[in-house]
Amino acid sequence: MTRRNRKLTAVVSCLVMLHVVAALAGFFAPYSYREQNRDAPRAAPTRIRWVDRSGRFRARPFFYAPGDGAVVPVRLWVRGSSYEVLGLVPSNLHLFGVDEPHRIFVLGTDSLGRDLFSRLLYGGQLSLSAGLVAAALALGIALVMGAVAGYGGRWLDSVIMWVGDVFLSLPWIYMLLAARAFLPLDMDPAEAFLVIVLLLGFLGWAAPMRLVRGIVMSAKEREFVTAARSAGAGHLHLLTRHVLPQTYSMLATQAAVLVPAYMLAEVTLSFVGLGVGEPRPSWGNMLTDVPRASVLSAQPWVFAPAVLIVVVSWLYHSVLSSVHKREPGAADFGSAE
Amino acid sequence: MKGVLRLRGSRLVAFCAAPAFATLLVAPWAAALAAGEYRVAPRRGGRLVVSVRSEVKHFNPLTAIDQPTRTVQSLLHADLLRIDRTDLEIYPNVASEWDVSDDGRTYTITLREGVRFSDGHLLSVEDVLFSFRAYLDERVHSPQRDLLIVGGEPIRVEKLDERRVTFELARPYAAGERLFDSFHVLPEHILGDSFERGDVASAWGVLTEPKQLVGLGPFRVKEVVAGERIVVERNPYYFKLDASSNSLPYLDEVVFVSTPTEEAEVLRFRAGDVHIVERLSAENFDALAADDSPSRFQMLDLGPGLEYHFFFFNLSPATGETLGARQSWFKNAGFRRAVANAVDKQAIVDLVFGGRATPLATHVTTGNKHWLNRELGVEPYSVSAAKRGLRESGFRWDGEGRLVDESGARVEFSLLTNAGNRKRAMMASLIQADLDQVGIRVRIATLEFRAYVARIFDTRDHDAALMALVSGDTDPNPQLSVLMSDGGTHVWRLGQDAPHTSWEAEIDRLMQQQLVTLDGRRRKELYDRVQAIMLEYQPIIGLASPHILVGADNELKNFRPGILPPYTLWNADELFFSQASAP
């Protein structure tokens, strides 16, 4: 395995791991995202230790309880709040936790005393899936529309390009605001957010469509396509077997750009109130506390969602970079067969 | 105040960067000041820098709505009578005295002698007549016009002689003299032509030549740099003198700088770039107070103001089947009382307002010391009492602990709030968690502000909503639009031609009666009864009233903030810097 391949494998592994941890947030998080500890708002992260005050090393990590200073061991495989694995299998098993009535806050708590670490993991479910879903939808529509426009040509091309231009000029933020205003108020916050994400993806197909169209127009004139056509290949066969595969490299590139872009859009949406509704966390709505000066200095751990957003964005861009270096032809969005 | 709508005497607080802190209570401080303990010899000169959260829109008092614009105008203009922000009593201002007829319908106001506008022009009775003609003109669309309509008819203003003017009301109006606060007297010799042409509403924009911006206030405009700052200088013709007959104001200049967020404002205050901050959040107030080791600031917690946060169930005629079915619960007073019992208001005070707020029983805050019905207490937070109340109201619980009604339908509703308001989102989360304990599922719906307002006031298509209102005065009358069944801010059931319930009819009758009752004690009894009905039927479920938190540079003297806006600059003519460090 070359060094580049190793790097690509490592980056993809990290991304997969992040997604898996988010998908299994109920197991990795010690508490439910909605559980409030009203006597512990804005609590600092629990200081986990291996060495006690007498200097003795303990194999099991522990911390001193606030107040009475009792030693509280951190236990693995504990039973706690109920959740559903991937929304299917009910469970109450958690990777770690502490005995009641103690609480462990790995990243501290928010203003309502909710465990930030648990919310960070649950928040990843919506933030990561928002990027994936919106990018998949945008690229899916872009592929179909670009293929039709580029392959069909003539009036079909003109109409689709005109529609694409209209979509590019739409003030998407206002459209999303209007859409949210018309959604039923008793809709589940996660469902309402999914609608907004789908709309976001639906509004974002025009730019990648132009790239798909360009590649399709170029590819359909290539010699191997002409040869296949001469051999009697039909339009569908030509498109699916010879033309569209030319766009896959570009689509992968676009995906690596769009997924973090849509993830950041979720942060923007949270600031204008279109994000996930309370109490569901997302990395975007968890950052609404950050712009306050008092928080900046006193509670730096609330930046954790921002750090994860940066890390995930960097990982996606690293994938893009590695792919380009491995396949030099990928950068021009087309490759010769 | 950013995002505040003025609604017939009350204001809907949208983005209330809610205030809160309390070690330095204003009462002992004010008492010490009154005793002369902190008084130092006033010093003339100095430049006060004040931050405003949004740009000043114009200089026209007739059409001012937002608080920054009104605050700047309060320094440029003067009213006939004025509410003192510390004792909340009414005092003569441009007027030297006033008299009320026995039937309470006619107010005779006598002007001070020799008062001049900031361009040196002598004030006359004609200016007063002109001002109220302009405020009442329908073409002007003044937001204050409604306040001058009493008993369905505009107040009639007439000249009695060269110094006296009468205001005749269609019916008695208790505490009518308080109406005159914030109605500025305007110069007819400057605005008269514009009024005759019908374009006075658009006069005095930010590009108007400062010399044309003429008023009776302690300051006049010197310089306007749009989007950056407004500089006002001492008005040499200002009519007020201090106790030693020195002319006021003491300050040479006041500079208003635009600082869009509280965070930026606090940073500038900490750096010494601005001298006054108001409407602070508890976090910033506490941080500034804790940071005050060299005693650079005077940080004051004035206690609860007149702003009340609450939520209410939509009792307006249903727009759909789902809402109609849910309204059978909402209309049940026992259900509303149980919900009020289930909400931990102290948690809201502690977690949302950092302890710098007061739990609320009704719409009257504890800051309104004169009119508060002290016999009424805040319902205790009790899950067991809430469950008992729900059971007595015909509800029960299914096998999974979910509350269901008599037909077996699960009790759930959406709670509407507006985007960008962190405190309100926190309140919604707390209410959601509290009601979950009694088996009620609450879904929080967040809408952009205009959509939120439209849902409540236009389409009325919602289950319940979180809201904050702030009264323009301590007197009950500004609450008429909230309490009267045909009021524009009667949010729980809008658009009623006649009261729909007997208790609403009783509130209507009591409010009408207090409106025409001139005996203060009798008015208090009537308003106490209104509060008791509000508590019994819970059309609005009071949550908390945030404290008014302000700060000023320690060298600024005579700083006497109050709980009515403008909180800090209402006595700008008396402010001065101590000799040590006047800028």
Side-chain angles (χ1 to χ4, degrees), chain A residues 168-183:
Chain A
L168 280 175
S169 61
L170 286 175
W172 62 273
I173 194 87
Y174 292 104
M175 294 204 60
L176 295 178
L177 284 170
R180 181 65 189 90
F182 283 106
L183 290 177

PDB file of all heavy atoms in Angstrom, chain A residues 168-183:
ATOM      1  N   LEU A 168     -30.433  28.908  -9.571  1.00  0.00           N
ATOM      2  CA  LEU A 168     -29.203  29.529  -9.066  1.00  0.00           C
ATOM      3  C   LEU A 168     -29.462  30.932  -8.516  1.00  0.00           C
ATOM      4  O   LEU A 168     -28.757  31.411  -7.636  1.00  0.00           O
ATOM      5  CB  LEU A 168     -28.156  29.621 -10.186  1.00  0.00           C
ATOM      6  CG  LEU A 168     -27.388  28.339 -10.476  1.00  0.00           C
ATOM      7  CD1 LEU A 168     -26.485  28.521 -11.687  1.00  0.00           C
ATOM      8  CD2 LEU A 168     -26.543  27.916  -9.278  1.00  0.00           C
ATOM      9  N   SER A 169     -30.472  31.578  -9.072  1.00  0.00           N
ATOM     10  CA  SER A 169     -30.734  32.961  -8.643  1.00  0.00           C
ATOM     11  C   SER A 169     -31.726  33.035  -7.483  1.00  0.00           C
ATOM     12  O   SER A 169     -32.036  34.122  -7.003  1.00  0.00           O
ATOM     13  CB  SER A 169     -31.267  33.782  -9.831  1.00  0.00           C
ATOM     14  OG  SER A 169     -32.471  33.227 -10.281  1.00  0.00           O
ATOM     15  N   LEU A 170     -32.233  31.875  -7.039  1.00  0.00           N
ATOM     16  CA  LEU A 170     -33.229  31.907  -5.953  1.00  0.00           C
ATOM     17  C   LEU A 170     -32.571  32.293  -4.619  1.00  0.00           C
ATOM     18  O   LEU A 170     -31.491  31.799  -4.293  1.00  0.00           O
ATOM     19  CB  LEU A 170     -33.881  30.529  -5.795  1.00  0.00           C
ATOM     20  CG  LEU A 170     -34.884  30.120  -6.870  1.00  0.00           C
ATOM     21  CD1 LEU A 170     -35.345  28.683  -6.625  1.00  0.00           C
ATOM     22  CD2 LEU A 170     -36.082  31.041  -6.871  1.00  0.00           C
ATOM     23  N   PRO A 171     -33.197  33.173  -3.852  1.00  0.00           N
ATOM     24  CA  PRO A 171     -32.686  33.471  -2.505  1.00  0.00           C
ATOM     25  C   PRO A 171     -33.068  32.338  -1.565  1.00  0.00           C
ATOM     26  O   PRO A 171     -34.112  32.377  -0.919  1.00  0.00           O
ATOM     27  CB  PRO A 171     -33.407  34.779  -2.137  1.00  0.00           C
ATOM     28  CG  PRO A 171     -34.656  34.765  -2.948  1.00  0.00           C
ATOM     29  CD  PRO A 171     -34.428  33.908  -4.137  1.00  0.00           C
ATOM     30  N   TRP A 172     -32.237  31.307  -1.484  1.00  0.00           N
ATOM     31  CA  TRP A 172     -32.627  30.061  -0.842  1.00  0.00           C
ATOM     32  C   TRP A 172     -32.986  30.230   0.628  1.00  0.00           C
ATOM     33  O   TRP A 172     -33.882  29.578   1.136  1.00  0.00           O
ATOM     34  CB  TRP A 172     -31.545  28.993  -1.011  1.00  0.00           C
ATOM     35  CG  TRP A 172     -30.223  29.321  -0.402  1.00  0.00           C
ATOM     36  CD1 TRP A 172     -29.215  30.006  -0.992  1.00  0.00           C
ATOM     37  CD2 TRP A 172     -29.781  28.988   0.905  1.00  0.00           C
ATOM     38  NE1 TRP A 172     -28.161  30.134  -0.130  1.00  0.00           N
ATOM     39  CE2 TRP A 172     -28.465  29.506   1.047  1.00  0.00           C
ATOM     40  CE3 TRP A 172     -30.329  28.303   1.988  1.00  0.00           C
ATOM     41  CZ2 TRP A 172     -27.737  29.365   2.229  1.00  0.00           C
ATOM     42  CZ3 TRP A 172     -29.589  28.158   3.155  1.00  0.00           C
ATOM     43  CH2 TRP A 172     -28.314  28.680   3.265  1.00  0.00           C
ATOM     44  N   ILE A 173     -32.297  31.170   1.304  1.00  0.00           N
ATOM     45  CA  ILE A 173     -32.554  31.308   2.738  1.00  0.00           C
ATOM     46  C   ILE A 173     -33.991  31.776   2.977  1.00  0.00           C
ATOM     47  O   ILE A 173     -34.671  31.306   3.882  1.00  0.00           O
ATOM     48  CB  ILE A 173     -31.529  32.251   3.406  1.00  0.00           C
ATOM     49  CG1 ILE A 173     -31.583  32.129   4.918  1.00  0.00           C
ATOM     50  CG2 ILE A 173     -31.730  33.699   3.016  1.00  0.00           C
ATOM     51  CD1 ILE A 173     -30.720  31.045   5.458  1.00  0.00           C
ATOM     52  N   TYR A 174     -34.483  32.679   2.112  1.00  0.00           N
ATOM     53  CA  TYR A 174     -35.857  33.170   2.275  1.00  0.00           C
ATOM     54  C   TYR A 174     -36.869  32.088   1.899  1.00  0.00           C
ATOM     55  O   TYR A 174     -37.953  31.994   2.474  1.00  0.00           O
ATOM     56  CB  TYR A 174     -36.074  34.434   1.452  1.00  0.00           C
ATOM     57  CG  TYR A 174     -35.295  35.590   1.990  1.00  0.00           C
ATOM     58  CD1 TYR A 174     -34.137  36.029   1.372  1.00  0.00           C
ATOM     59  CD2 TYR A 174     -35.677  36.231   3.171  1.00  0.00           C
ATOM     60  CE1 TYR A 174     -33.389  37.081   1.891  1.00  0.00           C
ATOM     61  CE2 TYR A 174     -34.940  37.273   3.700  1.00  0.00           C
ATOM     62  CZ  TYR A 174     -33.797  37.696   3.049  1.00  0.00           C
ATOM     63  OH  TYR A 174     -33.066  38.720   3.581  1.00  0.00           O
ATOM     64  N   MET A 175     -36.491  31.287   0.911  1.00  0.00           N
ATOM     65  CA  MET A 175     -37.400  30.194   0.525  1.00  0.00           C
ATOM     66  C   MET A 175     -37.533  29.188   1.670  1.00  0.00           C
ATOM     67  O   MET A 175     -38.615  28.680   1.937  1.00  0.00           O
ATOM     68  CB  MET A 175     -36.857  29.502  -0.721  1.00  0.00           C
ATOM     69  CG  MET A 175     -36.876  30.417  -1.923  1.00  0.00           C
ATOM     70  SD  MET A 175     -36.926  29.529  -3.452  1.00  0.00           S
ATOM     71  CE  MET A 175     -38.416  28.611  -3.341  1.00  0.00           C
ATOM     72  N   LEU A 176     -36.409  28.936   2.337  1.00  0.00           N
ATOM     73  CA  LEU A 176     -36.455  27.998   3.458  1.00  0.00           C
ATOM     74  C   LEU A 176     -37.261  28.574   4.618  1.00  0.00           C
ATOM     75  O   LEU A 176     -38.017  27.866   5.282  1.00  0.00           O
ATOM     76  CB  LEU A 176     -35.047  27.648   3.918  1.00  0.00           C
ATOM     77  CG  LEU A 176     -34.178  26.887   2.900  1.00  0.00           C
ATOM     78  CD1 LEU A 176     -32.796  26.637   3.453  1.00  0.00           C
ATOM     79  CD2 LEU A 176     -34.835  25.562   2.545  1.00  0.00           C
ATOM     80  N   LEU A 177     -37.094  29.875   4.851  1.00  0.00           N
ATOM     81  CA  LEU A 177     -37.870  30.531   5.910  1.00  0.00           C
ATOM     82  C   LEU A 177     -39.362  30.412   5.622  1.00  0.00           C
ATOM     83  O   LEU A 177     -40.169  30.104   6.503  1.00  0.00           O
ATOM     84  CB  LEU A 177     -37.478  32.008   6.021  1.00  0.00           C
ATOM     85  CG  LEU A 177     -36.151  32.320   6.704  1.00  0.00           C
ATOM     86  CD1 LEU A 177     -35.781  33.787   6.514  1.00  0.00           C
ATOM     87  CD2 LEU A 177     -36.205  32.001   8.187  1.00  0.00           C
ATOM     88  N   ALA A 178     -39.711  30.673   4.361  1.00  0.00           N
ATOM     89  CA  ALA A 178     -41.127  30.597   3.976  1.00  0.00           C
ATOM     90  C   ALA A 178     -41.629  29.167   4.119  1.00  0.00           C
ATOM     91  O   ALA A 178     -42.737  28.933   4.622  1.00  0.00           O
ATOM     92  CB  ALA A 178     -41.299  31.090   2.546  1.00  0.00           C
ATOM     93  N   ALA A 179     -40.807  28.204   3.691  1.00  0.00           N
ATOM     94  CA  ALA A 179     -41.226  26.796   3.772  1.00  0.00           C
ATOM     95  C   ALA A 179     -41.465  26.393   5.215  1.00  0.00           C
ATOM     96  O   ALA A 179     -42.462  25.737   5.532  1.00  0.00           O
ATOM     97  CB  ALA A 179     -40.153  25.910   3.145  1.00  0.00           C
ATOM     98  N   ARG A 180     -40.569  26.803   6.116  1.00  0.00           N
ATOM     99  CA  ARG A 180     -40.735  26.442   7.525  1.00  0.00           C
ATOM    100  C   ARG A 180     -42.018  27.043   8.097  1.00  0.00           C
ATOM    101  O   ARG A 180     -42.700  26.417   8.917  1.00  0.00           O
ATOM    102  CB  ARG A 180     -39.524  26.923   8.339  1.00  0.00           C
ATOM    103  CG  ARG A 180     -39.607  26.549   9.828  1.00  0.00           C
ATOM    104  CD  ARG A 180     -39.563  25.041   9.997  1.00  0.00           C
ATOM    105  NE  ARG A 180     -39.845  24.591  11.368  1.00  0.00           N
ATOM    106  CZ  ARG A 180     -41.050  24.300  11.848  1.00  0.00           C
ATOM    107  NH1 ARG A 180     -42.130  24.447  11.081  1.00  0.00           N
ATOM    108  NH2 ARG A 180     -41.209  23.868  13.075  1.00  0.00           N
ATOM    109  N   ALA A 181     -42.334  28.260   7.642  1.00  0.00           N
ATOM    110  CA  ALA A 181     -43.529  28.928   8.153  1.00  0.00           C
ATOM    111  C   ALA A 181     -44.795  28.173   7.775  1.00  0.00           C
ATOM    112  O   ALA A 181     -45.802  28.252   8.472  1.00  0.00           O
ATOM    113  CB  ALA A 181     -43.589  30.361   7.643  1.00  0.00           C
ATOM    114  N   PHE A 182     -44.732  27.420   6.647  1.00  0.00           N
ATOM    115  CA  PHE A 182     -45.938  26.720   6.196  1.00  0.00           C
ATOM    116  C   PHE A 182     -46.026  25.286   6.707  1.00  0.00           C
ATOM    117  O   PHE A 182     -47.046  24.639   6.540  1.00  0.00           O
ATOM    118  CB  PHE A 182     -46.018  26.749   4.669  1.00  0.00           C
ATOM    119  CG  PHE A 182     -46.479  28.075   4.156  1.00  0.00           C
ATOM    120  CD1 PHE A 182     -45.593  28.956   3.565  1.00  0.00           C
ATOM    121  CD2 PHE A 182     -47.803  28.470   4.285  1.00  0.00           C
ATOM    122  CE1 PHE A 182     -46.007  30.195   3.104  1.00  0.00           C
ATOM    123  CE2 PHE A 182     -48.236  29.701   3.825  1.00  0.00           C
ATOM    124  CZ  PHE A 182     -47.339  30.568   3.236  1.00  0.00           C
ATOM    125  N   LEU A 183     -44.958  24.785   7.305  1.00  0.00           N
ATOM    126  CA  LEU A 183     -45.008  23.420   7.818  1.00  0.00           C
ATOM    127  C   LEU A 183     -45.921  23.360   9.044  1.00  0.00           C
ATOM    128  O   LEU A 183     -46.001  24.337   9.801  1.00  0.00           O
ATOM    129  CB  LEU A 183     -43.602  22.954   8.216  1.00  0.00           C
ATOM    130  CG  LEU A 183     -42.614  22.698   7.081  1.00  0.00           C
ATOM    131  CD1 LEU A 183     -41.255  22.319   7.651  1.00  0.00           C
ATOM    132  CD2 LEU A 183     -43.123  21.608   6.169  1.00  0.00           C
TER     133      LEU A 183
END
